[in-house]
Amino acid sequence: MNPWLIVGLGNPGPQYAGHRHNVGAMVIDELADRAGVALRAHKAKALAASVRLQTPAGGIGPQAIIARPTTFMNVSGPPVQSLMAFFKVPLEQVVVVHDELDIDFGALRLKRGGGEGGHNGLRSISASVGSKDYLRVRVGIGRPPGRMDAASFVLKDFNPAERKELPLLLSEAADAVELLVDRGLTDAQNLVHSR
């Protein structure tokens, strides 16, 4: 059985760690904590670990590689392509967790394929793997207030109210990853989108 590849997008370095754009990477940290593992440097320019995902019922799920590219967001694709090749992961078992401006803060949406919505990390992955048909866990961060530029908004920390809700959001996003892998896209969408 080939492992799954769960990739969380973000920018490297402590100066970016709390930014909205890094919420995908934060979900990977949550999955690592659940599995009791530390992410380690991989030659694919990523921090990665091999884990057994949990099932929503609390059982042991399939093998997965959880990873955060150590490149900047707009060059996320080469590490993803390298991890797929190294671990022999087929495209249908790739899950990308990322921030989504077009979804309200705190909401989650699951899908396979589709457009990138101006998200440079997704654009880079689609170009590197030669397809848009990977699974996505879209973590809502909401729209920028007023006339703030979207690029500036995603590179800012969550506001105090959002920061209080963030641990729950990260936990629910990690749950959504486990559900997606365990139940498949349609069942997972029915459960996650109805919340």
Side-chain angles (χ1 to χ4, degrees):
M1 283 290 289
N2 300 89
W4 285 75
L5 175 61
I6 319 295
V7 179
L9 300 188
N11 283 310
Q15 70 271 38
Y16 297 105
H19 290 178
R20 292 181 177 93
H21 221 19
N22 273 46
V23 75
M26 295 176 202
V27 174
I28 296 301
D29 290 341
E30 170 71 19
L31 288 167
D33 286 347
R34 290 182 180 192
V37 300
L39 299 172
R40 301 199 187 292
H42 189 277
K43 66 180 185 180
K45 294 189 178 169
L47 297 173
S50 178
V51 300
R52 290 305 290 263
L53 291 175
Q54 297 175 11
T55 67
I60 302 296
Q63 195 75 26
I65 307 305
I66 56 174
R68 294 168 41 185
T70 53
T71 55
F72 280 95
M73 176 71 84
N74 60 354
V75 282
S76 298
V80 173
Q81 196 275 329
S82 294
L83 288 164
M84 287 174 68
F86 185 87
F87 292 104
K88 299 179 172 51
V89 180
L91 185 68
E92 59 270 16
Q93 287 181 214
V94 174
V95 179
V96 177
V97 187
H98 65 91
D99 58 300
E100 180 60 70
L101 282 166
D102 293 327
I103 299 172
D104 291 342
F105 173 81
L108 298 167
R109 292 291 177 266
L110 311 177
K111 74 174 188 175
R112 180 188 298 280
E116 290 108 357
H119 197 293
N120 289 331
L122 296 178
R123 190 175 290 141
S124 176
I125 292 169
S126 298
S128 292
V129 305
S131 175
K132 297 180 181 183
D133 288 337
Y134 44 88
L135 292 159
R136 304 170 195 192
V137 175
R138 305 158 71 209
V139 183
I141 60 168
R143 300 293 307 173
R147 295 185 175 182
M148 183 188 286
D149 176 56
S152 300
F153 178 70
V154 300
L155 292 176
K156 291 200 178 324
D157 285 357
F158 291 95
N159 67 40
E162 291 168 341
R163 181 126 324 255
K164 282 172 76 171
E165 300 295 323
L166 189 58
L168 177 62
L169 176 59
L170 297 177
S171 179
E172 288 182 343
D175 290 347
V177 169
E178 293 169 351
L179 199 57
L180 181 58
V181 170
D182 185 60
R183 303 271 183 88
L185 180 60
T186 302
D187 282 359
Q189 283 175 325
N190 288 339
L191 289 161
V192 171
H193 296 183
S194 63
R195 289 182 187 155

